[in-house]
Amino acid sequence: MARRVVRTPTATAPDLDARKALILEAVVIEHIDSAQPVGSSAVAASADLDVSSATVRSEMVALEREGYLAQPHTSAGRIPTDKGYRYFVDHLKSGVLGTVQQQQVKEFFAGVRGEVEDVLEQTSTLLSQLTSYTSVVVGAGHAHATVLSAQLVNLESRHHLLVTVFSDGSVVKHSVTPSFVATPKEVMEASKQLNALLIGTTLESRVQVPARHDHEAALVREAVSTLHAQQPVTDGEQVFIGGSSKVAEVFDGVETVRQVLAILEQELLVVSLVQDILDQGLSVAIGSEHGYEPLLACALIVAPVTIDGAPAGAVGLLGPTRMKYREAMAAAEVVSANLTRHFAGADDRG
Amino acid sequence: MARRVVRTPTATAPDLDARKALILEAVVIEHIDSAQPVGSSAVAASADLDVSSATVRSEMVALEREGYLAQPHTSAGRIPTDKGYRYFVDHLKSGVLGTVQQQQVKEFFAGVRGEVEDVLEQTSTLLSQLTSYTSVVVGAGHAHATVLSAQLVNLESRHHLLVTVFSDGSVVKHSVTPSFVATPKEVMEASKQLNALLIGTTLESRVQVPARHDHEAALVREAVSTLHAQQPVTDGEQVFIGGSSKVAEVFDGVETVRQVLAILEQELLVVSLVQDILDQGLSVAIGSEHGYEPLLACALIVAPVTIDGAPAGAVGLLGPTRMKYREAMAAAEVVSANLTRHFAGADDRG
DNA sequence: GTTAGCACTCAATTCTACCGAGTGCCAGCG
DNA sequence: CGCTGGCACTCGGTAGAATTGAGTGCTAAC
């Protein structure tokens, strides 16, 4: 596991003097736009500071010495470092979505309905369409949800299904295959006992299982142990990744594309990545900040989604470090806000 | 929608004379291996026909005239056309898996357990690891499965969950949100009625719903209509795609990678693609054969999975037309056979 | 029917020269 | 003292020319 850099956004930025800040900003903006190193004359022309390119140059060497800019090679322009992007992002005035996108979001949330999973999945598609970056939508696990109902259904001979409904609306099933064939009556009885036993508990609660030796008790024991065998923290979590084809668009270099795709395949890793960033109180992790080497070329924007104030997941956007932060952050924030509102208002509507 | 070419494997191959067949085979094998046009001298050296390169050349012009080979430009070697690959595949002696892979499959199926979905998902990872191609695993929908149990659970105020268990072991949930708040007693009563009404039916059955105007009847009506609103054919189907990062490895050209990834994102399309190929009785679709233009550069290998003789899904491998057919087909077949066996034997084991 | 020989083709590679964007430095200026 | 115009220098990228070499098609001879 790579080293993790813990930092808060504010502690990082010892505030450059106004002119340096303007120059840095100009370089970042221009480089995001052109994907090319930015020269002093371009900066002198674009930013509204009335100085010559020579002055810009001398400021640039300072910025480079302080670690905000880098030079791919002598006699090329400058490109921002991760630290440079960080400064840029920390001093970014929050942007607004384009009107087209606003409309798209509005229509989407007006029309979306159905189960939570479906909504999250469609949201991930929406986000990636809004921004043309790959989106990551994480739905929180049901570690703290309580059991509303547990039911044992016989499929065939020794194969039963334990179907558990949680207070957060999630439904999970587990196979229960004891070493004996139970009668329908025994299954029904076990089902009743399971209901009595499990309702109101969470996956973390310990449950007193009957120690008797009859079939019902055996079924109940097996069902409970199967249910609790699942990892409470990670297992219930859902990840929806939208627009993975965008990876091939926004990153250059087949190898980078491959690496990023490989990361996205490991959903657990993606979840913990997003979680880490949220835990650090960040909304953007740039390059080395998230500590995963294969994602050095990436920036990850996250925005939490809450239900009744409690964290219920997050939406994220994955792009190159030179991504369009303002637009992407706006999109993530708007979508997470809409999602939060959608879930809060879900009961009151149809 | 692009034109679909329907053909059976045997009808396509008017059997080339022995020497041409050998030459074609040599070109295909060599090109799969080297990814480069194959010259006459290479063929003369490799294949065990004792002729000179000049003879091979004159045969090659014939093969080109008949559409089995193509020349990227004059003074380059030959590469196989889709038709050439088709001939090659149709005359392929079925290969065997490498011992490492055999071991891997054995260990996997010895150790795998859990719900069908989990098994399928892990299988897709396995397949892609075995072959370093992207895998597609399709689980059949439950159009013909009968309802084993239906239960209505109240989440909060007007938000209920209809949880339906099918005979194929699948569990689906649907939100039921009537315009009134029902009492716990009403919900329980509705749940009972739903059970009585739905058990034994399929999603395609029409069900007689009560026409009464009380809360129970309204709940039942809403629940049944919600359940039947789902598309029986497509909705229950599951797709698991493994190793999408392999796309970036085996295809060259960012644009191709992007297109293939974009296709893979549309899961419904992938399902119907696999289904189409199976319906044609093929096990491999090469280039234009599957009729999707963005996949012109692809070949797709499929192998059906059955439960008790009935189709229960399929496993597939997606690679470039110059993929390693023998190994990949062997992998797909072995895995599909193991999967079939796994599901057949699921009841008898733990 | 097969083959050795040969002229020809053409993508890929290498080399060279050159261009120009951009830099660092410095002397002069307000 | 900070800014600026000027200038020499660097170095990646490009364009063109020359070269290479794998591979072909053709033909005459076996």
Side-chain angles (χ1 to χ4, degrees), chain A residues 1-6 276 280 287-293 296:
Chain A
M1 186 61 63
R3 193 176 306 141
R4 184 75 29 84
V5 181
V6 180
D276 278 359
Q280 291 178 43
S288 56
E289 290 177 3
H290 43 57
Y292 288 93
E293 260 143 84
L296 265 186

Side-chain angles (χ1 to χ4, degrees), chain B residues 275-290:
Chain B
Q275 205 53 57
D276 277 359
I277 297 173
L278 283 178
D279 289 349
Q280 291 179 42
L282 292 182
S283 63
V284 188
I286 301 165
S288 57
E289 290 178 4
H290 43 56

